[in-house]
Amino acid sequence: SPDDPRIGETITADATIESSDFGIKGRLVENRLYYSLGYFKIQRTGTTTNESRDRETPPGSGNSSIVTETVFTNGDTVTGWEAELIGQISEQFSVNFSFGTMDSEQPDPTTPDPDDTRPIRFVPDWSANVFAKYNMKDENGDGFGIRGGISFIGELDRYSLSNFGELPLSETQSIVDFGVDYTFGKYRVDAFVKNAFDDTFLTVRVNTPRQIGVSFSGEF
């Protein structure tokens, strides 16, 4: 009924996010390499939303019913380890490497048991990133420099969503970036390609398009 007092009723409890982490860091190889290793935990508690509205069922039938949707996120938790290595291997070559593992869980809204959980969508099991730069410039700073990197995310858990079916998520995804620059005196040309193979990165739920760019700069 359009006069039902439950229509438009929304009950919301605020969320609280708690986080904790610990780890170690230091330097290696005559202070050329910086490393870090850490553990983290992020937990969201206390969020409950009940929303009631009038829905025509089926559409176009003229028959209305009250539908209540509940979003219960109490207990959303992500834990994991992350490691990073940054270093100037030589005067020409530098590298940045990172790796992390993640475990996630949230209450499963498809079951009535509040103790049932499932992985959080779009949180990968692991991620890794490698970025390197090689400098071929002379003592005056003239010449070429090249750089490149690749990012990986590991398996994303699959489960069915109402009205959407099962998502076709691949086990491993990657994105490749690279660039080259040339410096001559006070002038510099820089060209780059982001997502060189036009891959899909489903953690952001969209297809990240390939990007190509060229820039020119100089001092006067």
Side-chain angles (χ1 to χ4, degrees):
S1 168
D3 297 326
D4 195 307
R6 293 173 297 171
I7 295 177
E9 178 184 78
T10 301
I11 302 173
T12 304
D14 292 336
T16 299
I17 298 177
E18 299 177 354
S19 63
S20 58
D21 60 86
F22 66 88
I24 59 173
K25 60 183 179 180
R27 293 186 176 275
L28 299 170
V29 191
E30 298 179 348
N31 291 327
R32 289 186 176 183
L33 294 179
Y34 165 84
Y35 72 89
S36 66
L37 176 65
Y39 171 83
F40 66 90
K41 180 178 181 180
I42 303 172
Q43 187 172 39
R44 182 170 60 175
T45 60
T47 299
T48 303
T49 301
N50 294 313
E51 179 183 356
S52 299
R53 65 182 186 273
D54 190 19
R55 175 180 292 177
E56 193 176 16
T57 308
S61 66
N63 298 319
S64 298
S65 60
I66 296 297
V67 177
T68 299
E69 296 184 355
T70 300
V71 180
F72 181 68
T73 59
N74 186 46
D76 286 9
T77 303
V78 179
T79 60
W81 290 88
E82 53 187 7
E84 186 175 37
L85 186 66
I86 303 173
Q88 189 75 30
I89 305 302
S90 68
E91 292 184 0
Q92 290 79 30
F93 183 65
S94 62
V95 65
N96 185 331
F97 170 78
S98 64
F99 179 81
T101 63
M102 285 162 280
D103 293 312
S104 68
E105 65 175 21
Q106 63 179 182
D108 190 343
T110 64
T111 67
D113 188 345
D115 294 327
D116 289 343
T117 63
R118 69 180 185 185
I120 300 175
R121 290 177 63 207
F122 300 108
V123 175
D125 291 338
W126 59 271
S127 64
N129 178 276
V130 179
F131 182 85
K133 185 174 182 179
Y134 188 76
N135 186 358
M136 296 179 287
K137 299 176 182 179
D138 60 24
E139 59 184 11
N140 296 321
D142 295 337
F144 284 96
I146 58 176
R147 63 189 185 277
I150 182 168
S151 300
F152 296 96
I153 57 172
E155 185 175 352
L156 295 171
D157 293 284
R158 307 179 184 191
Y159 53 83
S160 296
L161 300 174
S162 175
N163 300 325
F164 289 96
E166 185 170 318
L167 293 175
L169 304 181
S170 59
E171 292 187 357
T172 302
Q173 300 167 52
S174 62
I175 285 182
V176 175
D177 303 326
F178 63 86
V180 58
D181 64 82
Y182 180 78
T183 302
F184 180 74
K186 297 181 178 181
Y187 302 96
R188 175 185 169 96
V189 180
D190 192 334
F192 65 87
V193 179
K194 294 184 177 180
N195 191 11
F197 300 105
D198 205 23
D199 292 319
T200 299
F201 226 38
L202 291 176
T203 52
V204 293
R205 311 187 189 194
V206 296
N207 180 35
T208 303
R210 181 188 296 113
Q211 300 178 40
I212 300 174
V214 178
S215 66
F216 301 89
S217 61
E219 297 181 10
F220 300 95

